[in-house]
Amino acid sequence: MIEKIERLAGPIRQHKLLEEQGCTSEVSQVETEEGTFILKKASQPRYRDWLRKEAQALQRVQGTVAVPGFLGFWESDRDSYLLMEYIEGVSLTSALKRVDDGEERLALIRSFGDFLQRFHEGEPLEGIGEGDWLERVWEEAEPYVRAGETDGDIELLEQLKAERPASVKPTMIHGDCNPDNVLVVDGEVRCFIDVSGMTVGDPRYDESLAIGKFTGKEKDAFYDGYKRYRVSDEEFKYFYHGMYELF
Ligand SMILES: Nc1ncnc2c1ncn2[C@@H]1O[C@H](COP(=O)(O)OP(=O)(O)OP(=O)(O)O)[C@@H](O)[C@H]1O
Ligand SMILES: [Mg+2]
């Protein structure tokens, strides 16, 4: 592992686990003679699969979408590793914890709306996300749902298939667009991370996950930035309390 990192990023000076950890991988910061990098390591099969998808997505959207630079992806018998650029910022979730309820908080949330607006309005990349996104998610989730590895059960999956909302124009989507997975730099949301689900799909999924935990006033701030669409209560329920349970 060390040789691999050094080949890609130069001699290591320091390697430390991050304080802010996700649930599906172990994230560490690696300082080398060439710069600072992030190493993500996943060990469980489903999460290794996600990390491979994250590496593929990162490579495909480099230069078009605001994501960390890709350095490398490799696998051993037990683990998978992704090495990427370190972005000097904090997740929106952490940034929101550091401010109080005033205008600064709403400004951060507005910038999230604005960031997502620009992403969804961008030209969808060609050659990614072939076919219908919802159907693909259902198909990929089904074995995990049956194995009891997701919050949602098979009845929920069947219900989601039966109650599918009318389609909207597909756009680029992040695919897990909650405030943990965007980074704030200089007081603004500037970068996506955790991009294993980034593809062409239903933007209402991103929107629902984005606003899921916001209060009424915070939602208004989000929609000051995100002007292209506003999910109905029904759509929100479908995506936030339904589709999200399949992951
Ligand atoms: N490129 C990066 N630059 C700076 N910090 C990062 C970077 N990538 C990840 N982080 C930090 O590591 C944390 C976890 O990263 P990430 O969300 O990718 O991990 P995860 O294990 O997939 O998370 P989860 O499973 O909870 O979605 C982030 O909240 C962020 O603080
Ligand atoms: Mg995350």
Side-chain angles (χ1 to χ4, degrees), residues 22 40 176 180-181 193-194:
K40 258 181 104 166
D176 188 13
D180 291 340
N181 290 334
I193 54 167
D194 215 356

Side-chain angles (χ1 to χ4, degrees), residues 21 206 218:
Q21 290 288 332
D206 277 357
E218 291 170 349

Side-chain angles (χ1 to χ4, degrees), residues 214-240:
F214 291 159
T215 64
K217 225 171 141 186
E218 291 170 349
K219 277 183 201 150
D220 289 343
F222 177 86
Y223 285 112
D224 280 343
Y226 193 83
K227 298 197 166 73
R228 59 189 301 281
Y229 189 74
R230 194 166 183 145
V231 282
S232 66
D233 291 347
E234 238 167 72
E235 289 169 327
F236 174 75
K237 241 175 88 190
Y238 184 89
F239 288 102
Y240 188 75

Side-chain angles (χ1 to χ4, degrees), residues 4 13 28 49 65 76 81 89 93 111 122 135 173 176 180 193 231 237:
K4 192 82 191 179
R13 284 189 182 149
S28 50
D49 199 42
V65 181
S76 71
Y81 299 88
T93 305
S111 88
E135 283 176 15
I173 61 165
D176 188 13
D180 291 340
I193 54 167
V231 282
K237 241 175 88 190

Side-chain angles (χ1 to χ4, degrees), residues 185-206:
V185 180
D186 292 337
E188 282 181 5
V189 171
R190 291 266 178 87
C191 187
F192 285 117
I193 54 167
D194 215 356
V195 298
S196 58
M198 191 172 275
T199 184
V200 175
D202 194 320
R204 291 172 296 186
Y205 185 56
D206 277 357

Side-chain angles (χ1 to χ4, degrees), residues 13-200:
R13 284 189 182 149
Q14 205 188 54
H15 187 162
K16 60 169 193 232
L17 278 183
L18 283 193
E19 274 168 40
E20 200 175 8
Q21 290 288 332
C23 313
T24 64
S25 65
E26 189 183 281
V27 187
S28 50
Q29 196 188 61
V30 184
E31 237 184 85
T32 75
E33 285 176 14
E34 286 168 29
T36 307
F37 304 89
I38 287 285
L39 181 71
K40 258 181 104 166
K41 169 179 144 184
S43 308
Q44 282 189 47
R46 193 183 191 197
Y47 301 154
R48 291 182 67 171
D49 199 42
W50 286 358
L51 199 62
R52 186 176 330 106
K53 290 203 169 110
E54 180 171 354
Q56 285 165 352
L58 266 188
Q59 282 174 280
R60 279 192 296 224
V61 306
Q62 292 286 298
T64 320
V65 181
V67 293
F70 172 85
L71 272 93
F73 173 77
W74 65 96
E75 295 181 297
S76 71
D77 286 347
R78 291 173 48 185
D79 309 298
S80 303
Y81 299 88
L82 170 63
L83 188 67
M84 68 184 122
E85 176 193 3
Y86 168 73
I87 305 291
E88 205 170 333
V90 294
S91 69
L92 176 59
T93 305
S94 308
L96 289 174
K97 280 187 193 140
R98 291 178 192 180
V99 295
D100 37 63
D101 285 339
E103 182 50 36
E104 210 182 334
R105 181 177 191 84
L106 298 181
L108 278 170
I109 292 173
R110 195 175 305 122
S111 88
F112 184 25
D114 181 62
F115 181 73
L116 197 60
Q117 159 90 17
R118 281 180 277 127
F119 177 56
H120 285 169
E121 287 294 306
E123 199 58 43
L125 287 171
E126 284 191 22
I128 73 168
E130 296 298 326
D132 183 81
W133 175 77
L134 273 170
E135 283 176 15
R136 220 168 49 239
V137 173
W138 295 333
E139 199 181 309
E140 283 176 17
E142 189 167 331
Y144 297 103
V145 172
R146 289 195 185 279
E149 288 176 29
T150 55
D151 289 336
D153 54 19
I154 201 74
E155 283 75 42
L156 174 75
L157 180 58
E158 293 309 325
Q159 192 188 348
L160 289 169
K161 288 181 181 175
E163 293 175 3
R164 175 187 181 132
S167 300
V168 296
K169 186 175 132 236
T171 69
M172 290 297 293
I173 61 165
H174 176 278
D176 188 13
C177 193
N178 68 71
D180 291 340
N181 290 334
V182 290
L183 294 180
V184 172
V185 180
D186 292 337
E188 282 181 5
V189 171
R190 291 266 178 87
C191 187
F192 285 117
I193 54 167
D194 215 356
V195 298
S196 58
M198 191 172 275
T199 184
V200 175

